[in-house]
Amino acid sequence: MEDNLMNNNFEGEVYHPAQAIIDEAHIKDYEYLYKMSIDNPEKFWSERAEEFYWSKKWDKVLDDSNPPFYQWFTNAKTNIVYNCIDRHLKTWRRNKLALIWEGEGGDVKTYSYFSLNREVIKFANVLKSMGVQKGDIVTIYMPRIPELIFAMLACAKIGAAHSVVYGGFSVDALAGRIEDAESKVLITADGGWLRGSIVPLKGIVDEAIARQGTIEHVVVVKRTGQEVHMAPGRDYYYHDLCELPVMNQNCETEMVDSEDMLFILYTSGTTGKPKGIVHTHGGYMVYTATTLKYVFDLKDEDRYWCAADPGWITGHSYIVYGPLLNGATSFMYEGAPNFPYPNRWWKMIEKYGISILYTAPTAIRGLMRFGNAWANRHDLSSLRLLGSVGEPINPEAWKWYFNVIGRGKCPIMDTWWQTETGGFMITPIPITPLKPGSATKPFFGIDVDVVDNDGKPVPAGEEGNLVIKKPWPAMLRTIYKDPERYVSQYWSTFKNMYQAGDSARKDKDGYIWVIGRLDDVIKVSGYRLGTAEIESALVSHNAVAEAAVIGLPHEVRGNTIHAYVLLRAGIDGNDALAEDLKKHVGHEIGPIAKPEKITFVDVLPKTRSGKIMRRLLKARALGLPEGDKSTLEE
Ligand code: WT7
């Protein structure tokens, strides 16, 4: 059945959406609106911005007087939370469900916009009582539970910024991020559920705090309920604080400047130090709301499920802010997709009537492995649109997703974007003819191209650098505390173009095919990891002198980490040490960064200037030609 597509809308490798989908879609003419949005982006974006509440309107839509430090909706005042919650309370949506949440153990919680507001107010009062003020950065390290969302919104509501650290990260990754953000307050939980076991978040927090010196208070949400260490005067249980009557008093949503920082989110780059990507209230708000509405054709009747973690940009933009801005009903699930059985996701789609599912190729491939029967047991007819993000989706996984999950009737929105871009950049909308494996065309207002190393557009079909030639509202504003790195990383390779760091091809129809990262960033299960971070975790082990890390292709995870390790003099490599090193990386960065394989070597290939030639290690591992070796040190 795999290749025998179940509907007749396929022509060669192009899928044409059914007329019913086109009739329903918010946008019915891509070409016309795209042209208008590129010819006059300020008109396009100001019209979208008019849909939101601003306590003061902007002087300028786009201020490009100091590139690449662009500003959007300058001098306007708003608060993204006002538009996510307060605004809806004055309408019928007050009683609409904002969130349906299911824990891994099957416990369910639901929140209307009214009750979401109550929860966010409580959390905001707790933060205020700890002295959190406008301009502070609060670090959040939580499992996938509703309180994670409340905490993020509570920060934004009072004008503070959040820095969410994914709950799958571990000690060193957490400590480094807290330190860079100089957070005084940390929000966490005792633990989270994953595959029936407890992830001991609070223990990791204690170790991380011991490694850095800024945290004064820790708020601990009780999720798993086991005994955890609580430092007197520093750590407080959230439920204890909520008992205080003052926490239930009203808390107004603070009006902030459009360009005030909403959050930072750390992401891996080419150096060992993750970059704090800065996003702001106004432009990010307009962009995430618009992209979600047009791409997933969001309607009030939808039950929308973005299966990412709120701790990544996908979750920030399309679990938290985008859906709430649209007044949508979202679903969130705490645990593993195959717990207790591989039908968990399909069962929940059936149970809740999910109409839009947005996930990653690695999850699709992981579930595909279990065969069709698990999905076929369930009524998935509520689905109308599917989505994919994180890495290129291989046509085989695309077709399985399309046929077996979408039952041949749901177009797949393959969205290309990055932590830095804030929202979808290259993506179909429901009316776009699809080619499996291509993220298709740029979103409105996005001027994308593929260029050679001199910045000149390459001919159709040829590989080149993916660039963006115009600023857009949700673009990163800078790298936190490192504006020089912002300029050099993204805006220096090509004149006046944002360099995405990906290679891509544009075909004769103008469809973009993203190939992958050009830098030392590896995508493992869609997660972005820097080789340098993993190498420095390895070197922090006392047996290791030097290490080099590469990514090699993997059927389910896309890539896996392979490490080449040079041990200190007098130490011999063996299986036990290899296991120990893997565990060490897991402990320092997180389980996702654990090397699949460790090879002990006597020498690492380096250039004469001392840079490790990972390219050469990779070619050797794959049995490919070794290429130019002229810079190799003997
Ligand atoms: C990198 C950004 C944006 C949310 C998740 C990832 C790769 C992302 C696609 C896609 C091909 C993709 C790129 C990009 N990527 N989506 N649909 N097709 N590649 O955010 O962790 O910042 O990673 O993910 O290589 O540069 P991120």
Side-chain angles (χ1 to χ4, degrees):
M1 195 194 73
E2 224 60 332
D3 268 355
N4 175 16
L5 297 166
M6 294 195 314
N7 73 52
N8 49 18
N9 293 337
F10 255 97
E11 217 175 78
E13 281 297 280
V14 183
Y15 163 80
H16 296 274
Q19 192 58 42
I21 288 169
I22 298 172
D23 290 345
E24 245 184 34
H26 285 304
I27 303 292
K28 296 192 169 55
D29 187 341
Y30 170 80
E31 302 297 336
Y32 168 80
L33 195 58
Y34 181 72
K35 186 167 183 312
M36 178 253 164
S37 72
I38 292 293
D39 292 347
N40 197 345
E42 297 192 40
K43 176 170 185 285
F44 180 83
W45 290 115
S46 64
E47 283 172 13
R48 306 283 88 70
E50 291 289 350
E51 292 168 23
F52 299 95
Y53 172 79
W54 306 78
S55 62
K56 178 178 173 294
K57 284 281 162 70
W58 46 92
D59 297 338
K60 265 188 116 183
V61 180
L62 167 65
D63 179 351
D64 55 3
S65 58
N66 183 26
F69 296 93
Y70 298 98
Q71 300 204 331
W72 286 84
F73 308 109
T74 50
N75 294 324
K77 296 253 181 290
T78 186
N79 186 312
I80 196 168
V81 174
Y82 192 94
N83 285 295
C84 284
I85 304 177
D86 303 52
R87 189 171 54 120
H88 302 310
L89 301 180
K90 303 188 178 97
T91 71
W92 67 273
R93 287 201 185 105
R94 171 189 177 89
N95 296 320
K96 182 181 173 177
L97 286 187
L99 179 67
I100 305 170
W101 173 83
E102 188 169 306
E104 198 184 67
D107 41 336
V108 177
K109 286 182 178 169
T110 56
Y111 300 88
S112 65
Y113 277 86
F114 177 84
S115 50
L116 172 66
N117 186 48
R118 281 264 181 266
E119 297 292 339
V120 173
I121 284 176
K122 243 190 320 189
F123 228 121
N125 284 327
V126 165
L127 293 176
K128 277 186 173 171
S129 76
M130 309 213 131
V132 175
Q133 288 175 359
K134 188 164 181 246
D136 290 347
I137 303 173
V138 175
T139 297
I140 303 177
Y141 180 63
M142 299 258 264
R144 213 148 48 224
I145 57 177
E147 287 81 359
L148 167 50
I149 296 178
F150 307 155
M152 290 167 71
L153 294 166
C155 291
K157 185 179 174 77
I158 62 173
H162 51 74
S163 163
V164 181
V165 180
Y166 169 56
F169 275 132
S170 196
V171 180
D172 192 54
L174 177 60
R177 285 158 173 77
I178 298 173
E179 182 132 295
D180 190 69
E182 296 169 58
S183 288
K184 296 200 208 64
V185 172
L186 174 71
I187 304 169
T188 189
D190 49 358
W193 289 108
L194 193 66
R195 281 183 201 90
S197 335
I198 291 173
V199 181
L201 294 181
K202 182 59 171 60
I204 294 168
V205 161
D206 291 337
E207 258 190 83
I209 292 179
R211 288 192 196 179
Q212 63 82 50
T214 64
I215 293 295
E216 293 166 8
H217 293 301
V218 182
V219 181
V220 183
V221 174
K222 203 173 233 186
R223 168 62 185 142
T224 42
Q226 82 283 18
E227 189 82 30
V228 296
H229 167 72
M230 296 289 283
R234 187 193 74 184
D235 303 349
Y236 299 90
Y237 273 118
Y238 179 64
H239 63 265
D240 287 340
L241 296 170
C242 288
E243 286 302 309
L244 305 170
V246 54
M247 301 306 176
N248 289 296
Q249 282 172 8
N250 190 30
C251 170
E252 293 291 330
T253 304
E254 185 92 17
M255 285 298 132
V256 298
D257 193 275
S258 170
E259 284 292 319
D260 275 344
M261 179 156 74
L262 171 61
F263 63 84
I264 50 180
L265 189 58
Y266 288 88
T267 190
S268 299
T270 44
T271 72
K273 197 171 170 278
K275 305 177 276 194
I277 304 297
V278 174
H279 285 287
T280 57
H281 276 256
Y284 178 84
M285 169 174 86
V286 174
Y287 196 79
T288 53
T290 306
T291 45
L292 182 59
K293 179 171 171 184
Y294 291 175
V295 172
F296 282 112
D297 204 38
L298 211 54
K299 308 265 169 54
D300 265 316
E301 313 77 89
D302 275 310
R303 286 209 163 169
Y304 161 84
W305 181 15
C306 167
D309 191 282
W312 298 94
I313 192 70
T314 314
H316 280 54
S317 302
Y318 299 115
I319 294 178
V320 183
Y321 293 110
L324 295 174
L325 287 166
N326 279 291
T329 300
S330 277
F331 174 69
M332 183 162 88
Y333 164 60
E334 178 185 34
N338 56 346
F339 187 86
Y341 301 109
N343 65 332
R344 181 62 185 268
W345 274 21
W346 322 131
K347 200 174 161 177
M348 293 188 299
I349 289 173
E350 180 178 59
K351 177 174 172 192
Y352 297 105
I354 304 295
S355 54
I356 302 167
L357 173 67
Y358 183 35
T359 185
T362 185
I364 298 161
R365 291 191 297 261
L367 290 165
M368 184 169 113
R369 226 172 17 151
F370 297 109
N372 301 355
W374 290 105
N376 288 343
R377 269 166 57 173
H378 296 278
D379 175 4
L380 304 182
S381 60
S382 58
L383 288 172
R384 67 181 186 91
L385 283 173
L386 300 172
S388 173
V389 64
E391 57 180 322
I393 178 164
N394 48 310
E396 197 198 348
W398 195 101
K399 287 176 186 168
W400 186 82
Y401 196 27
F402 182 81
N403 283 322
V404 179
I405 305 310
R407 308 276 148 100
K409 65 174 180 61
C410 308
I412 298 176
M413 303 298 109
D414 179 357
T415 60
W416 177 89
W417 57 297
Q418 310 176 296
T419 307
E420 291 88 339
T421 70
F424 310 148
M425 299 295 280
I426 305 173
T427 174
I429 55 177
I431 63 168
T432 309
L434 304 174
K435 302 186 187 185
S438 168
T440 75
K441 301 238 179 163
F443 189 74
F444 304 112
I446 303 302
D447 192 359
V448 166
D449 213 342
V450 179
V451 300
D452 64 18
N453 290 340
D454 299 323
K456 296 211 185 59
V458 299
E462 274 178 36
E463 197 173 330
N465 303 281
L466 187 61
V467 294
I468 298 150
K469 303 206 279 199
K470 272 192 172 58
W472 63 101
M475 61 188 294
L476 77 162
R477 295 304 192 262
T478 188
I479 292 176
Y480 188 59
K481 298 201 290 201
D482 205 348
E484 288 89 27
R485 192 171 172 198
Y486 165 68
V487 177
S488 65
Q489 183 85 50
Y490 303 107
W491 298 95
S492 297
T493 317
F494 309 109
K495 204 167 177 291
N496 297 329
M497 296 184 210
Y498 169 87
Q499 184 213 9
D502 279 2
S503 71
R505 283 184 291 119
K506 198 195 255 188
D507 72 16
K508 60 179 188 343
D509 303 323
Y511 278 52
I512 309 277
W513 298 76
V514 177
I515 298 160
R517 298 292 307 188
L518 286 163
D519 50 12
D520 289 320
V521 166
I522 306 176
K523 281 270 168 165
V524 180
S525 300
Y527 297 121
R528 178 167 160 182
L529 295 166
T531 51
E533 281 167 90
I534 304 169
E535 287 160 5
S536 82
L538 283 164
V539 174
S540 73
H541 188 284
N542 55 22
V544 178
E546 271 190 280
V549 154
I550 57 168
L552 292 180
H554 183 274
E555 214 183 311
V556 174
R557 282 179 270 172
N559 294 287
T560 51
I561 303 288
H562 288 243
Y564 296 82
V565 169
L566 198 98
L567 294 171
R568 292 200 177 180
I571 301 177
D572 288 325
N574 55 39
D575 288 352
L577 181 57
E579 277 316 303
D580 196 42
L581 292 179
K582 289 182 194 175
K583 249 177 65 195
H584 178 72
V585 175
H587 182 75
E588 292 297 303
I589 305 181
I592 44 167
K594 266 193 192 177
E596 164 104 342
K597 193 167 169 225
I598 296 208
T599 309
F600 296 108
V601 294
D602 298 326
V603 62
L604 288 170
K606 285 188 187 164
T607 62
R608 266 175 238 119
S609 57
K611 276 180 141 181
I612 296 171
M613 292 179 80
R614 299 188 187 85
R615 175 178 61 77
L616 196 63
L617 286 169
K618 194 164 170 172
R620 284 178 187 164
L622 293 171
L624 294 171
E626 295 189 357
D628 180 11
K629 284 197 289 185
S630 56
T631 58
L632 185 68
E633 173 198 56
E634 285 314 317

